């Protein structure tokens, strides 16, 4: 997972007239094939095949990429910097099991492979690292910086986080002691009151416009001081409460910008960071569950044609849940209830022990099985419900009961324990209970996701497309739903369906990388193995 390779790609060469390797990029033709399905009055489905051809152009030059984390001094922030430094300087450390080498295990980009095709002579599958599909930044090459409301320097913050082994921390201290997070914005109403004693590194005043300008300036300065070609900003700070969506305040981009000017109380710190990134033309990813992307913020990204992605890292329980729920429903088994209990002892857990912040997490975790359930109307019926007073008919889908509980237990530190019960209906009225006890080091799961999100977001800024026959190449749509694999409550293009299925999310990502090379993604048909 640590092997270094030039970011300019070069491992894969597609031999086809529709894929051209040019001096500055890869130009590829790709036909998107699908089906339009219409249900007629008799309940019959009429299917029409569709196809549309696009040209993708991916710039090859990655350049020098900056990664700015909001919440740099937290458990995730310190672990990201420490992992990057340990890999970059090849620092190994002793544990009771022997010598441990640094790596990027858990990163889909750096530690997973894609099936490219078969070797004609042997008929065997050929897999390549996902990071070799297209030119991508290597995580060792990021320039990492960012903000925190806590002034503690990064070496001390790493010790405070208690995530990494002492023999590694000891060697990293000299690399991290000089690094201090930039002062940040603190609106106490948005995070738990129990965080107040951390807040000693603040941008002064309560003028939100001045705060926005300050953050924009920080991004610009980071870029010029480090001679960067591009920057990605990512929120891994505390979970905030939800912002209320108020007409006239945050519903449109103009209203949101005006509300920032007026220092309106419903504009959260994370939204200020998102707006600052959008206005600076850099991608912004939200790794926490709150609704940073109020409608006005999404509209602003659209207007500026910049990129946003969110919400909430999908690191542990939810990832397993989206896999298990899909397995059950696709196996024709009917989950009746899913009950999830979590306890964790880190500062994230402390912040989430406050009701309004927990509520953000609860919402984010709640909808992860919705699309699997909605996809199977044989198991989950849709019934018409009539409102007595108005006679209005609405269709309501059956749904498994689903609860999520989170408790703060300081003793377990950064280890998060998740207990999930899946209670399902089997054949002939039978019942099945499955219990999963998932114990994981929270930040060691989140850190590789942060690298993946930043690497892929940067890549997607270099991809442009045009429908065949049109003259102009355009950037992708602003909301980067291709990042859904790493996110619990994926933000998607308004009006389109959220896909929570982990399999489908991964297929979409693989399919997209292949499309940029002009390749099809129908590898699992394996027709050659089914015919004579
Ligand atoms: P943490 O509490 O250790 O770190 C958060 C940091 O953000 C703290 O250092 C805090 O001082 C800082 N902060 C708070 N408000 C800030 C602001 N306005 N500006 C700048 N800094 C600010 O938490 P963590 O374990 O690193 O998790 C970070 C976030 O990621 C949390 O919101 C958590 O819910 C989310 N998340 C984590 C995981 C995971 O670790 N597995 C999974 C999903 C989501």
């Amino acid at each position: 997972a640590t092997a270094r390779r030039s970011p300019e790609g070069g491992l894969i060469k597609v031999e086809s007239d529709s894929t051209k390797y040019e001096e500055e990029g890869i130009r590829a033709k790709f036909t998107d094939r699908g089906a339009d399905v219409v249900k007629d009055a008799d309940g019959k489905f009429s299917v029409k095949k569709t196809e549309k051809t696009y040209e993708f152009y991916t710039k090859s030059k990655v350049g020098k990429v900056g990664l700015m984390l909001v919440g740099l001094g937290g458990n995730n922030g310190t672990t990201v910097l420490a992992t990057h430094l340990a890999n970059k300087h090849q620092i190994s450390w002793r544990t009771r099991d022997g010598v441990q080498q640094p790596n990027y295990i858990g990163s889909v980009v750096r530690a997973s492979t894609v099936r490219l095709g078969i070797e004609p002579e042997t008929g065997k599958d050929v897999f390549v690292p996902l990071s070799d599909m297209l030119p991508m930044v290597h995580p060792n090459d990021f320039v990492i910086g960012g903000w925190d409301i806590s002034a503690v320097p990064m070496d001390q913050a790493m010790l405070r986080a208690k995530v990494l082994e002492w023999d590694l921390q000891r060697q990293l201290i000299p690399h991290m002691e000089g690094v201090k997070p930039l002062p940040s914005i603190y609106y106490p109403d948005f995070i738990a009151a129990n965080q107040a004693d951390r807040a000693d590194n603040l941008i002064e005043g309560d003028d939100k416009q001045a705060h926005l300008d300050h953050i924009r300036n920080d991004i610009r300065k980071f870029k010029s001081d480090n001679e960067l070609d591009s920057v990605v900003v990512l929120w891994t700070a505390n979970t905030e409460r939800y912002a209320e969506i108020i007409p006239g305040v945050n519903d449109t981009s103009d209203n949101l910008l005006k509300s920032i000017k007026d220092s309106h109380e419903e504009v959260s710190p994370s939204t200020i960071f998102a707006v600052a990134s959008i206005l600076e033309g850099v991608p912004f990813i939200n790794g926490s569950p709150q609704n940073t992307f109020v409608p006005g913020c999404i509209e602003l990204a659209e207007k500026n044609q910049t990129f946003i992605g969110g919400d909430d890292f999908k690191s542990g329980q939810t990832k397993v849940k989206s896999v298990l729920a899909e397995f059950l429903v696709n196996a024709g088994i009917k989950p009746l209830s899913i009950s999830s209990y979590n306890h964790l002892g880190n500062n994230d857990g402390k912040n989430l022990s406050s009701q309004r912040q927990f509520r953000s997490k609860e919402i984010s975790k709640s909808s992860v099985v919705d699309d699997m359930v909605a996809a199977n109307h044989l198991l989950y019926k849709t019934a018409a419900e009539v409102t007595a007073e108005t006679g209005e008919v609405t269709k309501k889908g059956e749904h498994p009961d689903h609860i999520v509980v989170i408790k703060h237990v300081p003793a377990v530190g950064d280890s998060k324990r998740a207990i999930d019960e899946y209670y399902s209906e089997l054949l002939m009225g039978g019942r099945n209970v499955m219990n999963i006890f998932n114990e994981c080091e929270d930040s060691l799961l989140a850190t590789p996701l942060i690298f993946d999100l930043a690497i892929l977001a940067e890549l997607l800024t270099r991809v442009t497309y045009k429908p065949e026959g049109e003259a102009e190449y355009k950037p992708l749509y602003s909301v980067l739903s291709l990042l859904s694999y790493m996110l619990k409550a994926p933000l998607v293009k308004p009006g389109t369906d959220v896909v929570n299925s982990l399999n489908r999310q991964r297929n979409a990502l693989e399919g997209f990388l292949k499309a940029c090379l002009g390749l099809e993604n129908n590898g699992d048909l394996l027709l050659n193995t089914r015919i004579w």
Side-chain angles (χ1 to χ4, degrees):
T2 52
R4 280 306 300 274
R5 196 166 272 126
S6 131
E8 311 305 325
L11 194 74
I12 298 168
K13 176 118 203 295
V14 179
E15 313 268 355
S16 154
D17 290 346
S18 54
T19 305
K20 291 198 185 81
Y21 292 84
E22 299 176 0
E23 176 101 2
E24 295 193 349
I26 305 168
R27 205 175 295 277
K29 230 180 237 178
F30 174 77
T31 302
D32 189 26
R33 298 197 167 81
D36 281 346
V37 184
V38 179
K39 195 174 176 184
D40 68 17
D42 305 333
K44 286 198 179 139
F45 295 101
S46 140
V47 184
K48 279 204 191 99
K49 291 207 280 184
T50 58
E51 55 175 59
K52 194 159 182 190
T53 301
Y54 296 90
E55 279 178 37
F56 287 104
Y57 180 72
T58 309
K59 261 195 234 159
S60 319
K61 186 173 180 275
V62 177
K64 203 171 165 195
V65 186
L67 171 58
M68 297 189 83
L69 302 178
V70 195
L72 183 64
N75 284 22
N76 288 346
T78 53
T79 310
V80 166
L81 183 62
T83 302
H84 157 84
L85 289 169
N87 276 286
K88 183 164 146 179
H89 300 295
Q90 280 299 304
I91 299 172
S92 55
W93 63 100
R94 285 199 164 271
T95 72
R96 61 181 173 196
D97 294 323
V99 176
Q100 174 69 48
Q101 303 296 335
N103 60 36
Y104 285 110
I105 285 191
S107 157
V108 172
V109 173
R110 297 299 317 171
S112 86
T113 60
V114 174
R115 185 184 167 278
L116 204 54
I118 51 169
E119 199 182 44
E121 272 178 25
T122 58
K124 295 279 180 221
D125 288 336
V126 178
F127 295 92
V128 296
L130 193 143
S131 55
D132 283 322
M133 293 294 289
L134 289 171
M136 299 183 204
V137 59
H138 192 292
N140 287 4
D141 296 336
F142 276 124
V143 177
I144 297 177
W147 304 262
D148 205 293
I149 55 171
S150 159
V152 172
M154 289 304 284
D155 59 322
Q156 297 300 313
M158 168 180 67
L159 299 183
R160 173 177 65 186
K162 299 183 189 160
V163 173
L164 299 165
E165 299 262 358
W166 166 243
D167 193 35
L168 174 60
Q169 291 182 345
R170 181 181 67 73
Q171 298 178 73
L172 284 169
I173 287 171
H175 296 277
M176 292 172 70
E177 62 191 350
V179 187
K180 262 191 84 177
L182 296 166
S184 194
I185 315 169
Y186 176 52
Y187 307 149
D189 184 44
F190 279 89
I191 60 175
N194 61 29
Q195 299 295 310
D197 55 355
R198 265 176 109 98
D200 61 357
N201 191 36
L202 309 181
I203 300 170
E204 278 174 15
D206 47 18
D207 178 344
K208 295 195 177 185
Q209 180 65 47
H211 291 167
L212 173 66
D213 296 340
H214 188 113
I215 300 300
R216 290 186 65 178
N217 191 48
D218 284 346
I219 299 171
R220 277 200 294 269
K221 190 164 181 314
F222 187 71
K223 205 169 166 185
S224 64
D225 285 355
N226 295 290
E227 297 174 339
L228 303 173
D229 295 291
S230 60
V231 173
V232 175
V233 178
L234 185 145
W235 179 276
T236 178
N238 286 10
T239 296
E240 296 173 335
R241 70 163 171 84
Y242 255 53
E244 230 183 285
I245 308 298
I246 308 172
V249 172
N250 45 19
D251 54 342
T252 68
S253 57
D254 288 345
N255 288 340
L256 178 60
L257 292 176
K258 183 174 179 304
S259 300
I260 292 174
K261 250 194 197 108
D262 298 343
S263 296
H264 193 284
E265 60 184 13
E266 272 311 298
V267 182
S268 66
S270 66
T271 299
I272 300 264
F273 274 94
V275 169
S277 306
I278 292 167
L279 296 178
E280 287 306 312
V282 307
F284 179 86
I285 316 282
N286 176 30
S288 298
Q290 72 277 340
N291 62 343
T292 300
F293 300 118
V294 293
C297 191
I298 298 178
E299 192 186 89
L300 189 69
E302 287 172 342
K303 275 191 181 166
N304 285 272
Q305 297 209 337
T306 61
F307 299 105
I308 55 175
D311 296 316
D312 206 6
F313 307 125
K314 180 163 56 190
S315 53
Q317 182 178 56
T318 305
K319 209 169 222 161
V320 175
K321 191 180 289 178
S322 65
V323 171
L324 261 178
E326 187 184 26
F327 145 60
L328 290 166
V329 175
N330 281 355
I333 293 171
K334 182 181 182 182
L336 299 169
S337 65
I338 302 174
S339 314
S340 298
Y341 304 86
N342 300 259
H343 61 272
L344 70 169
N346 57 20
N347 188 55
D348 180 30
K350 188 175 171 196
N351 183 59
L352 293 176
S353 63
S354 160
Q355 178 53 31
R356 291 192 302 170
Q357 285 68 27
F358 163 71
R359 182 67 190 133
S360 295
K361 202 60 142 187
E362 188 180 39
I363 293 171
S364 167
K365 280 177 171 263
S366 69
S367 54
V368 300
V369 300
D370 289 1
D371 53 333
M372 296 83 156
V373 167
N376 191 332
H377 60 276
L378 300 174
L379 293 177
Y380 297 97
K381 306 270 183 275
T382 306
E385 234 175 44
V386 185
T387 312
E389 302 86 59
T390 59
E392 195 189 343
V393 181
T394 42
K395 288 204 162 172
K396 205 165 177 279
E398 212 186 334
H399 199 279
D401 295 337
H402 185 192
I403 58 146
V404 177
V405 176
I406 303 178
K407 292 289 170 198
H408 182 228
V409 179
V412 301
D414 196 59
S415 167
K416 183 163 73 184
R417 284 90 198 269
I419 303 157
D420 291 68
E421 182 195 88
Y422 297 80
Y423 177 53
S424 306
E425 181 175 345
L426 299 178
L427 184 78
M428 308 297 273
R431 292 289 184 268
N432 167 244
V433 183
M434 220 182 334
N435 283 301
I436 309 264
F437 187 90
N438 184 345
E439 186 183 333
C440 57
E441 195 83 44
D442 226 8
S443 302
L444 299 184
L445 288 178
T447 290
L449 302 190
I450 292 176
F451 287 122
D452 285 345
L453 287 162
I455 293 168
L456 293 171
E458 188 285 325
L459 165 68
L460 296 174
T461 64
R462 282 181 285 114
V463 177
T464 49
Y465 78 97
K466 67 181 175 93
E468 194 181 33
E470 285 187 18
E472 295 271 310
Y473 280 89
K474 283 188 278 217
L476 297 173
Y477 175 67
S478 291
V479 176
L480 296 176
S481 54
L482 280 168
L483 304 178
S484 298
Y485 187 92
M486 291 80 158
L487 296 161
K488 219 168 355 241
L491 193 68
V492 298
K493 193 177 193 172
T496 62
D497 288 339
V498 177
V499 174
N500 286 296
S501 152
L502 201 68
N503 251 320
R504 291 183 63 198
Q505 291 170 341
R506 175 151 177 138
N507 279 342
L509 185 58
E510 276 191 25
F512 185 80
L513 297 176
K514 286 184 177 173
C516 290
L517 292 169
L519 297 172
E520 303 281 336
N521 192 32
N522 55 0
D524 290 331
L525 179 57
L526 299 178
L527 197 56
N528 64 314
T529 67
R530 332 255 182 220
I531 55 177
W532 295 105

